[in-house]
């Protein structure tokens, strides 16, 4: 990971487009850390200790990559959107590269960062927005991070995989076993804690969460340092495609199936001071999701050619085909309250958490009717 003080780098300017009023385009239905040694966190989430876990990591993340799209937006500065380099962040890459943000009159920079620090950055206003699974944002928002979720982008990007010859047949078999994750409290760890709960396990006590840099997780699995990987694509899926692992479960089926594995998280200051710009940002982002779903091959090419994702184009294309692209603000809102009620049972939230009160704190209604 690069230094926190690494300067931002912007590309050269391009001609400014004419802003588009989203009200006139309501038809949106168109087609980390070194390899050794791993960090174990078996009991880290007991009580309020989850807070330190979620925001740990030595401060705000370093800015590894910055890309800029000059435009004619309503704000006087560029909007900064963070990303981690996952296949599932395709809607963001597309909205940037296909100039959809420009179409809505937005001046956007997309900044590569990583881990739990991306949440700190959004809350502190270092980033204006970032994608992510809503479960991983619950504790930070509960504890005061200034951010809200506005819309869901797509489904199907989290998986647990085990070695091909592993005796593990179900999530229940992970009791007292080491599971590799990219960060404590990240999207995969948060979501699969629900499956562990359903299997009769306490996700904070009955498994051994171990942190590796994402690129090192497949090697750790091969060496036997962990028995499973819980991660987003491509980290989780690559060992499977190479015949070295098999999928145990994912977030597209089962009792905890989600309509949206990725949602838009928006900084609170932006929401309060310029809700119209936030509305345009989310609308453009969702349009990027629809475009990605309708143009899988082109989207895979963008991810590879622009070096967003370190994987082969055919691999990325096969992964993108497994997702569902039907972004919605209203449907995400409907998932949040029952999702919080279930997630509270993992012990990661305050015991006194009121699901509806937290849902009101987590979700922002920008008046989007899709």
């Amino acid at each position: 990971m690069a230094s926190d003080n690494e300067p931002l780098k912007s590309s050269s300017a391009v001609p400014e487009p004419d802003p588009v009023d989203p009200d006139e385009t309501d038809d949106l239905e168109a087609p980390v850390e070194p390899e050794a040694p791993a960090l174990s966190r078996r009991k880290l989430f007991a009580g309020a200790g989850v807070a330190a876990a979620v925001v740990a990591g030595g401060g705000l993340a370093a800015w590894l990559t910055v890309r800029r799209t000059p435009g004619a937006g309503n704000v006087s500065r560029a909007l900064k959107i963070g990303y981690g380099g996952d296949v599932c962040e395709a809607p963001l890459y597309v909205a940037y590269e296909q100039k959809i943000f420009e179409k809505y009159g937005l001046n956007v920079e997309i900044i590569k960062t990583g881990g739990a620090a991306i949440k700190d950055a959004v809350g502190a206003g270092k980033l204006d927005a970032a994608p992510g699974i809503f479960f991983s944002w619950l504790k930070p928002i509960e504890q005061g991070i200034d951010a809200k979720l506005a819309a869901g982008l797509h489904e199907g990007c989290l998986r647990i995989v085990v070695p091909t010859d592993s005796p593990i047949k179900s999530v229940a078999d992970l009791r007292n076993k080491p599971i590799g994750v990219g960060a404590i409290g990240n999207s995969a760890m948060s979501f699969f804690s629900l499956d562990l709960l359903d299997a009769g396990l306490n996700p904070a006590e009955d498994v051994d969460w171990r942190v590796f840099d994402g690129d090192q997780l497949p090697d750790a699995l091969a060496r036997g340092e962990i028995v499973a990987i819980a991660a987003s694509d491509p980290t989780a899926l690559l060992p499977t495609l190479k015949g070295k692992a098999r999928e145990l479960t994912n977030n597209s089926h089962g009792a905890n199936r989600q309509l949206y594995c990725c949602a838009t998280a928006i900084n609170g200051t932006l929401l309060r001071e310029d809700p119209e710009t936030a509305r345009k940002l989310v609308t453009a982002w969702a349009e990027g999701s629809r475009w990605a779903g309708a143009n899988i091959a082109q989207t895979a090419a963008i991810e590879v050619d622009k070096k967003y994702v370190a994987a082969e184009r055919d691999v990325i294309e096969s992964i993108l085909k497994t997702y569902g692209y039907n972004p919605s603000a209203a449907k995400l809102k409907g998932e949040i309250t029952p999702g919080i009620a279930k997630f509270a049972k993992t012990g990661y939230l305050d015991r006194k958490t009121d699901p509806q009160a937290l849902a009101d704190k987590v979700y922002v209604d920008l008046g989007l009717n899709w």
Side-chain angles (χ1 to χ4, degrees):
M1 182 175 291
S3 167
D4 287 351
N5 298 317
E6 184 173 340
L8 300 179
K9 301 176 183 178
S10 299
S11 63
S12 58
V14 296
E16 294 184 357
D18 294 329
V20 173
D21 184 351
D23 290 332
E24 297 178 0
T25 58
D26 281 339
D27 181 14
L28 296 176
E29 300 303 320
V32 146
E33 307 276 288
E35 175 178 345
L39 176 64
S40 178
R41 288 295 185 271
R42 180 187 296 270
K43 299 183 179 180
L44 188 55
F45 280 88
V50 66
V54 172
V55 302
L60 300 181
W63 310 127
L64 300 181
T65 305
V66 180
R67 301 171 184 267
R68 183 174 180 179
T69 302
N74 295 332
V75 293
S76 59
R77 59 172 176 78
L79 294 170
K80 297 179 175 65
I81 305 178
Y83 73 97
D86 290 334
V87 173
C88 60
E89 291 166 308
L92 177 60
Y93 309 145
V94 164
Y96 173 80
E97 296 293 345
Q98 293 300 113
K99 303 187 185 302
I100 298 173
F101 289 128
E102 288 186 45
K103 169 184 165 183
Y104 284 84
L106 299 173
N107 181 4
V108 168
E109 293 178 1
I110 57 175
I111 301 171
K112 188 173 182 181
T113 184
I118 200 168
K119 299 176 180 66
D120 288 327
V122 174
K126 298 291 185 181
L127 295 172
D128 294 289
I133 185 174
F134 89 79
F135 289 112
S136 69
W137 286 86
L138 296 180
K139 190 64 181 182
I141 293 176
E142 180 186 55
Q143 295 204 317
I145 280 185
D146 190 15
K148 288 180 179 288
L149 305 182
L153 292 170
H154 66 81
E155 67 174 354
C157 64
L158 301 177
R159 310 173 197 275
I160 293 182
V161 300
V162 298
T164 305
D165 59 355
S166 172
I168 293 173
K169 303 299 182 184
S170 70
V171 172
D173 295 335
L174 294 172
R175 184 184 295 274
N176 297 323
K177 301 292 196 303
I179 304 173
V181 293
I184 292 297
N186 71 358
S187 296
M189 179 176 175
S190 297
F191 176 80
F192 291 116
S193 289
L194 299 175
D195 286 348
L196 291 169
L197 185 71
D198 288 344
L201 280 66
N202 181 332
E205 299 288 339
D206 293 338
V207 296
D208 185 5
W209 300 105
R210 295 189 182 180
V211 176
F212 291 84
D213 177 78
D215 293 340
Q216 297 300 319
L217 281 167
D219 290 337
L221 186 70
R223 291 192 301 266
E225 295 178 44
I226 52 178
V227 302
I229 295 173
S232 56
D233 295 328
T235 300
L237 199 54
L238 285 177
T240 301
L241 295 176
K242 294 177 180 178
K244 297 180 179 180
R246 58 181 170 80
E247 188 170 293
L248 189 66
T249 188
N250 61 50
N251 68 331
S252 294
H253 72 274
N256 300 307
R257 178 183 180 274
Q258 290 178 280
L259 289 175
Y260 302 106
C261 58
C262 289
T264 59
I266 312 296
N267 169 258
T269 299
L270 177 62
L271 291 169
R272 292 186 295 273
E273 295 183 354
D274 197 347
E276 180 56 25
T277 290
R279 183 177 186 270
K280 291 179 180 180
L281 179 64
V282 175
T283 303
W285 209 333
E287 190 170 318
S289 178
R290 293 186 183 88
W291 193 97
N295 300 276
I296 297 295
Q298 296 95 316
T299 300
I302 286 172
E303 294 199 354
V304 173
D305 296 346
K306 299 299 181 177
K307 303 186 185 304
Y308 289 112
V309 182
E312 299 297 324
R313 186 183 300 187
D314 58 341
V315 171
I316 293 177
E317 187 171 341
S318 67
I319 294 173
L320 290 172
K321 288 178 180 178
T322 69
Y323 300 161
Y325 303 87
N326 185 26
S328 174
K331 290 180 180 178
L332 175 68
K333 181 179 181 180
E335 284 197 314
I336 285 180
T337 302
I340 291 173
K342 179 70 174 286
F343 192 68
K345 297 177 182 179
T346 64
Y348 295 168
L349 299 178
D350 190 291
R351 292 183 180 181
K352 298 180 180 179
T353 295
D354 180 328
Q356 187 57 58
L358 183 54
D360 293 340
K361 191 175 181 180
V362 166
Y363 179 78
V364 59
D365 189 341
L366 292 174
L368 299 169
N369 57 15
W370 36 270

